[in-house]
Amino acid sequence: MSTTADDLREEVRRRYAESARAVTEESEGCGCGSACCSSETSASGVTQAVFGEALYDAEQRGELPDAAVLASLGCGNPIAVADLHEGETVLDLGSGGGIDVILSAKRVGPTGTAYGLDMTDEMLALAQRNAAEAGVTNVHFLKGIIEEVPLPANSVDVVISNCVINLSTDKPAVLTEIARVLKPGGRVGVSDVVAEDRLSPAERAARGSFVGCIAGALSKGEYVAGLEAAGFEDVSVEFTHEVADGMHGAIVKARKTDT
Ligand SMILES: C[S@@+](CC[C@H](N)C(=O)[O-])C[C@H]1O[C@@H](n2cnc3c(N)ncnc32)[C@H](O)[C@@H]1O
């Protein structure tokens, strides 16, 4: 029986709901092991900082409730590259336990707003609790899918996301939605898993699962072409660390055209 896009999305939702429940119930780890984006232990037994909290510096972790840090399942640190300013409106696609929304809210200050969008009720509840504990009030968590963002056109200054776009079953729709909600001249600063162009989709799938943030990764060339087709300029995709053979954590940046 073939797996449809709806089946895959439901599988993603179920796995990340489990992960949120594990953090909420204070059990060890993300609760779904290698079935979620998570740090892996090498043959030498050393845990490699390829996913999660280790990608944030100690100062940033110090600004956050423990549960927000523990829930981190990203593959980079979009706040480090998004260059946020006071008063800006930020949208985090697939906000999970809220780590990047809370950090964004602190950067844009009381005159700015940070939105987190996620489809998983358990993650949204965890993020709300974490934001309340962090004492940030300029945050809004929205339930929805990143392929149909529930915000008006031209309403956001910066779109961030951390290891989520690879989980989408319709990436052109996500990139089109980012372009729609951004104001003219608005910026994208996304962390994601990205494959080297030499790897076919089958070769990417051989290196890890879809829910584990590997099989659904775009290649660098596909990312650049997709963003340009959606109306972005100054597009760059920079590999930061290898997460599997030929697959990398990457910082993706772009700017919506001014007109
Ligand atoms: C790998 S986790 C990353 C969470 C968070 N960005 C972080 O850095 O910890 C993926 C998150 O994206 C959400 N997600 C995955 N696909 C989604 C989609 N199509 N629409 C909305 N949320 C999605 C999941 O519910 C989960 O919370």
Side-chain angles (χ1 to χ4, degrees):
M1 200 174 68
S2 68
T3 307
T4 66
D6 284 350
D7 293 339
L8 261 185
R9 185 182 287 154
E10 178 50 26
E11 171 74 357
V12 169
R13 197 205 57 70
R14 202 173 57 73
R15 295 301 175 122
Y16 288 96
E18 268 175 42
S19 174
R21 274 197 296 274
V23 172
T24 306
E25 290 157 15
E26 294 180 35
S27 54
E28 288 289 310
C30 86
C32 44
S34 61
C36 287
C37 302
S38 60
S39 290
E40 286 165 7
T41 303
S42 71
S44 64
V46 177
T47 299
Q48 296 167 345
V50 295
F51 292 108
E53 65 180 81
L55 299 166
Y56 294 80
D57 63 33
E59 194 181 328
Q60 287 178 317
R61 292 201 297 261
E63 294 180 53
L64 294 159
D66 288 348
V69 175
L70 192 60
S72 169
L73 293 166
C75 47
N77 181 346
I79 303 302
V81 296
D83 189 26
L84 301 179
H85 302 115
E86 289 261 330
E88 286 189 320
T89 299
V90 184
L91 167 65
D92 182 17
L93 298 179
S95 43
I99 184 165
D100 295 314
V101 178
I102 296 169
L103 289 171
S104 297
K106 291 182 180 229
R107 302 294 179 279
V108 300
T111 57
T113 304
Y115 289 100
L117 172 64
D118 207 287
M119 67 179 179
T120 305
D121 287 325
E122 292 82 350
M123 279 295 185
L124 289 164
L126 177 61
Q128 295 277 14
R129 267 200 308 281
N130 287 336
E133 196 181 323
V136 288
T137 51
N138 54 335
V139 297
H140 301 281
F141 290 100
L142 310 172
K143 181 169 180 178
I145 56 173
I146 64 174
E147 296 82 0
E148 284 172 44
V149 176
L151 284 175
N154 303 326
S155 60
V156 171
D157 295 294
V158 184
V159 170
I160 62 170
S161 184
N162 198 346
C163 228
V164 181
I165 295 175
N166 70 77
L167 291 169
S168 171
T169 52
D170 188 352
K171 291 165 181 77
V174 177
L175 302 181
T176 302
E177 278 295 85
I178 296 175
R180 183 184 66 79
V181 298
L182 276 174
K183 298 174 187 173
R187 288 121 53 211
V188 178
V190 161
S191 297
D192 206 359
V193 174
V194 179
E196 292 175 20
D197 289 325
R198 67 184 169 89
L199 295 184
S200 68
E203 288 169 325
R204 299 171 214 170
R207 285 158 173 73
S209 68
F210 190 88
V211 293
C213 296
I214 301 293
L218 292 171
S219 73
K220 187 173 184 171
E222 289 165 353
Y223 234 125
V224 172
L227 282 162
E228 286 176 350
F232 288 94
E233 57 190 20
D234 301 335
V235 177
S236 67
V237 177
E238 188 193 328
F239 293 154
T240 54
H241 56 288
E242 194 166 58
V243 299
D245 174 30
M247 318 252 329
H248 302 262
I251 292 293
V252 179
K253 291 205 274 187
R255 205 172 68 81
K256 182 175 167 179
T257 48
D258 283 321
T259 48

